[in-house]
Amino acid sequence: MKEYEVAKVKDIPPGESKCVDVDGDPVAIFNLDGQFYAISDTCTHAQASLSEGFVEEGIVTCPLHGAQFDIKTGKNMTMPAPVPVQTYTVKIEGDAIKIVV
Ligand code: FES
């Protein structure tokens, strides 16, 4: 397993999200009430950026066609997303946000 330091805690306040690069893959990091979660940034429908989506109660809505995903599990909740998005393990060390792959 490998760890990638991708952002600082202060870069992503509660309610915010950020797209980062993890070994060439775009990953969306979300701060839900102080807890950090990471999923693939790429919507499984037509590749829109999920970090640019609307977030409410742990669900992100894709900005392009409105598919919804559970940020904690990656589960696709509504069409037109056909499959879940990949989730990533997030580790906080000091003020660093790390992704473990
Ligand atoms: S690209 Fe996300 S719903 Fe179509």
Side-chain angles (χ1 to χ4, degrees):
M1 290 216 282
K2 231 171 149 183
E3 292 179 4
Y4 295 86
E5 183 173 335
V6 290
K8 299 290 185 197
V9 167
K10 66 171 171 36
D11 294 341
I12 312 174
E16 299 287 314
S17 56
K18 183 177 165 82
C19 180
V20 299
D21 180 280
V22 177
D23 203 19
D25 292 325
V27 172
I29 300 182
F30 295 87
N31 181 336
L32 301 181
D33 295 328
Q35 292 287 322
F36 292 91
Y37 299 91
I39 58 176
S40 169
D41 188 53
T42 307
C43 181
T44 55
H45 176 234
Q47 306 192 346
S49 174
L50 293 176
S51 59
E52 293 172 11
F54 174 73
V55 178
E56 194 173 49
E57 297 188 356
I59 305 290
V60 60
T61 301
C62 177
L64 201 50
H65 312 106
Q68 294 183 313
F69 297 90
D70 186 314
I71 291 169
K72 295 180 182 174
T73 65
K75 184 174 170 30
N76 49 320
M77 310 294 288
T78 59
M79 292 301 279
V83 293
V85 283
Q86 182 179 349
T87 58
Y88 292 84
T89 302
V90 179
K91 197 166 153 184
I92 305 299
E93 260 179 25
D95 65 345
I97 301 174
K98 296 181 172 183
I99 300 289
V100 184
V101 292

